[in-house]
Amino acid sequence: MTEAEVTVDAEKVRKWDRHHVWHPFTPMTSHRREDPPIITEADGFELIDTDGRRYVDGISSLWCNVHGHRVPEIDAAVRRQLDRVAHTTLLGLASDVSAELAWRLVQIVPDGLNHVFYSDSGATAVEVALKMAYQYHRQKGGRPQQRDVFLCVGQAYHGDTIGSVSVGGIDLFHRVYRDMLFPTVTVPSPVALRVPENHTSESWVQHCHDEVRRVLREYRHRAAGFILEPLVQGAAGILVHPPGYLAFVREQCTRFGIPLIADEVAVGFGRTGRLFACEHEQVCPDILCLAKGISGGYLPLAATLTTSEIHDAFLGEPHEFRTFFHGHTYTGNPLGCAAALASLDLFESRRVLENVGVLERLLSERLADLRGHSHVAEVRQKGIMVGIELVQDREALTPFPAEVRLGHQVTLAARRRGVIIRPLGDVVVLMPAPAMPAGLVERLCDVVIESIDEAIDKIVDRN
Ligand SMILES: *Cc1c(COP(=O)(O)O)cnc(C)c1O
């Protein structure tokens, strides 16, 4: 195969981008000022810009890349599918690749999740889960019920559509839209870095468990479902839950008859060390949301899986109108499904989960020194998801002034050293791909440590 010969006029692209592209989650004024790299190609785990500069992809292209870029096996699978058909609908028709992928997913997810509803992003996978749970109660056998409230966890992130924002709790992202959202009930997030004054870390975690029990009991007749990110709350700053919390929530949801919705959009497909985070605590949710890594990070594809119990509440003759009235144009897109099948094959043939184990230890060793750093509040890690929280004062946990944009300064320093990262506020995030070679992860760690020091030195000098 010949290399694609593409010449890119960087100046022209820059102009088009400045004038016409509105970037997501991006303060556009500073974006235009900074002229970020224009990525035109990738090679393995590196991205290449218009100047031919190479950057280690330190955040897996926003948490989705699994095996690297331009992976021969996935490229070939997508090309083969292109030679057959790029897209057909699942509304009333079937396709071979979407059926095979559904079957494969059912084999690998926790037991009992037998039905796969496709969509195309994490947010839509969550929307599907919420509407599915809501309608289930109205149609379930025995005593159908109208249930009008979702239970969720503080500082949750489930995506940016209105339903997924409703069950989210990140004030900075979600506050503006408050009046557009449906009501929810929130239990506090069981993380113990900043606890209310009357609590110790231990008593706070205990309180969070107690709140789960109290809220589930109080809302047992009104709650349509309890949604959470298992083990790690990603967008909140890689907040890692204490062991046992997930299993506890499962047990309490079962006790009070409330469906558990596990949003594994970020943690799924190997990032916590197991294929799915729920496996760590032998938990089977009633509904499971998958996206990001499902296609190896290649194409927009998502899936919401559920039990026969929930699925069967939607069965009936057409005139009974028990149908799940939901679907997206590109639902179950064959190219995405072909990429996903190839990605699952690679998990096995390249023993990707073993590599995750190696990277997990390596990250923890390489970043160990940061734990004593005078401006690091915490280094949080689960599997290969890492959050390094930077603070001005380590004892009082006071943040740096927002206008300094320290997390962003670290990103810029890393970029100058050939590494792409993206922070969550002043939490520096490392999210290497599950299949990244150890040598590149070492470089990623070294560059991040240097970049943190450089960015902090500049601020401290200035003052
Ligand atoms: C990223 C993310 C989403 C949203 O996924 P999109 O594909 O960006 O819509 C939902 N839930 C979690 C836990 C996520 O990390």
Side-chain angles (χ1 to χ4, degrees), residues 45-46 56-60 66-68 355 359 431-441 444:
F45 298 86
E46 292 182 313
V56 176
D57 185 358
I59 44 155
S60 301
V66 176
H67 310 285
N355 192 59
L359 300 187
M431 189 79 66
M436 190 180 271
L440 280 184
V441 173
L444 174 62

mmCIF file of all heavy atoms in Angstrom, residues 45-46 56-60 66-68 355 359 431-441 444:
data_model
loop_
_atom_site.group_PDB
_atom_site.id
_atom_site.type_symbol
_atom_site.label_atom_id
_atom_site.label_comp_id
_atom_site.label_asym_id
_atom_site.label_seq_id
_atom_site.Cartn_x
_atom_site.Cartn_y
_atom_site.Cartn_z
ATOM 1 N N PHE A 45 1.060 5.478 18.424
ATOM 2 C CA PHE A 45 0.535 6.222 19.565
ATOM 3 C C PHE A 45 0.951 7.692 19.513
ATOM 4 O O PHE A 45 0.917 8.381 20.511
ATOM 5 C CB PHE A 45 0.978 5.547 20.862
ATOM 6 C CG PHE A 45 0.441 4.146 20.975
ATOM 7 C CD1 PHE A 45 1.131 3.079 20.398
ATOM 8 C CD2 PHE A 45 -0.776 3.901 21.586
ATOM 9 C CE1 PHE A 45 0.621 1.787 20.468
ATOM 10 C CE2 PHE A 45 -1.288 2.621 21.659
ATOM 11 C CZ PHE A 45 -0.592 1.556 21.097
ATOM 12 N N GLU A 46 1.363 8.146 18.339
ATOM 13 C CA GLU A 46 1.761 9.536 18.176
ATOM 14 C C GLU A 46 0.896 10.245 17.137
ATOM 15 O O GLU A 46 0.459 9.652 16.153
ATOM 16 C CB GLU A 46 3.230 9.610 17.740
ATOM 17 C CG GLU A 46 4.184 9.157 18.846
ATOM 18 C CD GLU A 46 5.642 9.272 18.425
ATOM 19 O OE1 GLU A 46 5.984 8.830 17.307
ATOM 20 O OE2 GLU A 46 6.424 9.812 19.224
ATOM 21 N N VAL A 56 3.228 12.471 21.528
ATOM 22 C CA VAL A 56 2.647 11.290 22.167
ATOM 23 C C VAL A 56 1.197 11.617 22.533
ATOM 24 O O VAL A 56 0.919 12.661 23.123
ATOM 25 C CB VAL A 56 3.429 10.902 23.445
ATOM 26 C CG1 VAL A 56 2.753 9.731 24.148
ATOM 27 C CG2 VAL A 56 4.871 10.572 23.107
ATOM 28 N N ASP A 57 0.279 10.730 22.176
ATOM 29 C CA ASP A 57 -1.141 10.926 22.469
ATOM 30 C C ASP A 57 -1.411 10.501 23.919
ATOM 31 O O ASP A 57 -1.817 9.374 24.185
ATOM 32 C CB ASP A 57 -1.977 10.104 21.478
ATOM 33 C CG ASP A 57 -3.468 10.335 21.616
ATOM 34 O OD1 ASP A 57 -3.885 11.106 22.516
ATOM 35 O OD2 ASP A 57 -4.222 9.751 20.819
ATOM 36 N N GLY A 58 -1.175 11.430 24.849
ATOM 37 C CA GLY A 58 -1.200 11.095 26.278
ATOM 38 C C GLY A 58 -2.584 10.984 26.890
ATOM 39 O O GLY A 58 -2.728 10.617 28.060
ATOM 40 N N ILE A 59 -3.618 11.316 26.124
ATOM 41 C CA ILE A 59 -4.979 11.195 26.643
ATOM 42 C C ILE A 59 -5.846 10.335 25.722
ATOM 43 O O ILE A 59 -7.071 10.431 25.724
ATOM 44 C CB ILE A 59 -5.644 12.578 26.818
ATOM 45 C CG1 ILE A 59 -5.360 13.441 25.583
ATOM 46 C CG2 ILE A 59 -5.173 13.248 28.092
ATOM 47 C CD1 ILE A 59 -6.391 14.509 25.358
ATOM 48 N N SER A 60 -5.182 9.461 24.948
ATOM 49 C CA SER A 60 -5.927 8.536 24.077
ATOM 50 C C SER A 60 -6.979 9.259 23.241
ATOM 51 O O SER A 60 -8.120 8.795 23.133
ATOM 52 C CB SER A 60 -6.638 7.460 24.918
ATOM 53 O OG SER A 60 -5.739 6.729 25.681
ATOM 54 N N VAL A 66 -7.568 2.927 21.899
ATOM 55 C CA VAL A 66 -7.210 1.722 22.652
ATOM 56 C C VAL A 66 -5.910 1.094 22.150
ATOM 57 O O VAL A 66 -4.988 0.830 22.915
ATOM 58 C CB VAL A 66 -8.329 0.658 22.581
ATOM 59 C CG1 VAL A 66 -7.902 -0.623 23.298
ATOM 60 C CG2 VAL A 66 -9.626 1.197 23.186
ATOM 61 N N HIS A 67 -5.810 0.840 20.843
ATOM 62 C CA HIS A 67 -4.686 0.079 20.283
ATOM 63 C C HIS A 67 -3.713 0.964 19.515
ATOM 64 O O HIS A 67 -2.810 0.451 18.846
ATOM 65 C CB HIS A 67 -5.201 -1.005 19.338
ATOM 66 C CG HIS A 67 -6.283 -1.851 19.936
ATOM 67 N ND1 HIS A 67 -6.040 -2.825 20.871
ATOM 68 C CD2 HIS A 67 -7.620 -1.844 19.741
ATOM 69 C CE1 HIS A 67 -7.187 -3.395 21.223
ATOM 70 N NE2 HIS A 67 -8.153 -2.810 20.552
ATOM 71 N N GLY A 68 -3.913 2.291 19.585
ATOM 72 C CA GLY A 68 -3.105 3.189 18.777
ATOM 73 C C GLY A 68 -3.882 3.619 17.543
ATOM 74 O O GLY A 68 -5.052 3.248 17.366
ATOM 75 N N ASN A 355 -1.018 -5.887 29.248
ATOM 76 C CA ASN A 355 -0.256 -4.647 29.101
ATOM 77 C C ASN A 355 -0.756 -3.578 30.068
ATOM 78 O O ASN A 355 0.032 -2.834 30.650
ATOM 79 C CB ASN A 355 -0.347 -4.146 27.652
ATOM 80 C CG ASN A 355 0.650 -3.042 27.356
ATOM 81 O OD1 ASN A 355 1.859 -3.236 27.494
ATOM 82 N ND2 ASN A 355 0.141 -1.867 26.994
ATOM 83 N N LEU A 359 1.391 -1.291 32.615
ATOM 84 C CA LEU A 359 1.351 0.176 32.613
ATOM 85 C C LEU A 359 0.873 0.718 33.959
ATOM 86 O O LEU A 359 1.346 1.755 34.418
ATOM 87 C CB LEU A 359 0.431 0.689 31.495
ATOM 88 C CG LEU A 359 0.796 0.307 30.056
ATOM 89 C CD1 LEU A 359 -0.125 1.032 29.080
ATOM 90 C CD2 LEU A 359 2.251 0.607 29.740
ATOM 91 N N MET A 431 -3.983 9.597 30.469
ATOM 92 C CA MET A 431 -4.900 8.535 30.071
ATOM 93 C C MET A 431 -4.291 7.812 28.878
ATOM 94 O O MET A 431 -4.769 7.920 27.752
ATOM 95 C CB MET A 431 -6.231 9.175 29.696
ATOM 96 C CG MET A 431 -7.367 8.250 29.461
ATOM 97 S SD MET A 431 -8.162 7.623 30.927
ATOM 98 C CE MET A 431 -8.884 9.104 31.612
ATOM 99 N N PRO A 432 -3.175 7.094 29.105
ATOM 100 C CA PRO A 432 -2.553 6.404 27.972
ATOM 101 C C PRO A 432 -3.491 5.333 27.414
ATOM 102 O O PRO A 432 -4.353 4.840 28.137
ATOM 103 C CB PRO A 432 -1.299 5.779 28.591
ATOM 104 C CG PRO A 432 -1.581 5.670 30.043
ATOM 105 C CD PRO A 432 -2.487 6.825 30.383
ATOM 106 N N ALA A 433 -3.303 5.005 26.162
ATOM 107 C CA ALA A 433 -4.104 3.936 25.560
ATOM 108 C C ALA A 433 -3.735 2.611 26.220
ATOM 109 O O ALA A 433 -2.567 2.381 26.552
ATOM 110 C CB ALA A 433 -3.833 3.874 24.057
ATOM 111 N N PRO A 434 -4.715 1.727 26.410
ATOM 112 C CA PRO A 434 -4.432 0.436 27.042
ATOM 113 C C PRO A 434 -3.310 -0.357 26.367
ATOM 114 O O PRO A 434 -2.588 -1.099 27.028
ATOM 115 C CB PRO A 434 -5.778 -0.308 26.934
ATOM 116 C CG PRO A 434 -6.796 0.795 26.962
ATOM 117 C CD PRO A 434 -6.170 1.929 26.216
ATOM 118 N N ALA A 435 -3.107 -0.167 25.067
ATOM 119 C CA ALA A 435 -2.068 -0.936 24.371
ATOM 120 C C ALA A 435 -0.767 -0.164 24.192
ATOM 121 O O ALA A 435 0.140 -0.614 23.495
ATOM 122 C CB ALA A 435 -2.590 -1.388 23.009
ATOM 123 N N MET A 436 -0.627 0.993 24.817
ATOM 124 C CA MET A 436 0.585 1.797 24.612
ATOM 125 C C MET A 436 1.819 1.060 25.157
ATOM 126 O O MET A 436 1.773 0.475 26.237
ATOM 127 C CB MET A 436 0.447 3.160 25.303
ATOM 128 C CG MET A 436 1.553 4.139 24.946
ATOM 129 S SD MET A 436 1.377 5.752 25.780
ATOM 130 C CE MET A 436 0.374 6.646 24.607
ATOM 131 N N PRO A 437 2.927 1.085 24.414
ATOM 132 C CA PRO A 437 4.139 0.433 24.922
ATOM 133 C C PRO A 437 4.692 1.158 26.155
ATOM 134 O O PRO A 437 4.554 2.372 26.279
ATOM 135 C CB PRO A 437 5.135 0.559 23.761
ATOM 136 C CG PRO A 437 4.372 1.073 22.604
ATOM 137 C CD PRO A 437 3.109 1.677 23.095
ATOM 138 N N ALA A 438 5.335 0.381 27.032
ATOM 139 C CA ALA A 438 5.839 0.930 28.295
ATOM 140 C C ALA A 438 6.771 2.119 28.077
ATOM 141 O O ALA A 438 6.725 3.098 28.823
ATOM 142 C CB ALA A 438 6.534 -0.171 29.089
ATOM 143 N N GLY A 439 7.623 2.047 27.040
ATOM 144 C CA GLY A 439 8.604 3.115 26.807
ATOM 145 C C GLY A 439 7.929 4.466 26.600
ATOM 146 O O GLY A 439 8.403 5.497 27.107
ATOM 147 N N LEU A 440 6.835 4.484 25.882
ATOM 148 C CA LEU A 440 6.133 5.747 25.646
ATOM 149 C C LEU A 440 5.457 6.252 26.912
ATOM 150 O O LEU A 440 5.378 7.458 27.154
ATOM 151 C CB LEU A 440 5.083 5.578 24.538
ATOM 152 C CG LEU A 440 5.583 5.621 23.102
ATOM 153 C CD1 LEU A 440 4.408 5.529 22.133
ATOM 154 C CD2 LEU A 440 6.374 6.899 22.835
ATOM 155 N N VAL A 441 4.967 5.335 27.735
ATOM 156 C CA VAL A 441 4.339 5.753 28.994
ATOM 157 C C VAL A 441 5.392 6.344 29.930
ATOM 158 O O VAL A 441 5.136 7.321 30.634
ATOM 159 C CB VAL A 441 3.573 4.586 29.641
ATOM 160 C CG1 VAL A 441 3.059 4.974 31.026
ATOM 161 C CG2 VAL A 441 2.406 4.163 28.755
ATOM 162 N N LEU A 444 5.908 9.776 28.698
ATOM 163 C CA LEU A 444 4.747 10.568 29.097
ATOM 164 C C LEU A 444 4.891 11.043 30.550
ATOM 165 O O LEU A 444 4.723 12.229 30.852
ATOM 166 C CB LEU A 444 3.480 9.709 28.921
ATOM 167 C CG LEU A 444 2.144 10.255 29.411
ATOM 168 C CD1 LEU A 444 1.776 11.526 28.657
ATOM 169 C CD2 LEU A 444 1.046 9.202 29.220
#
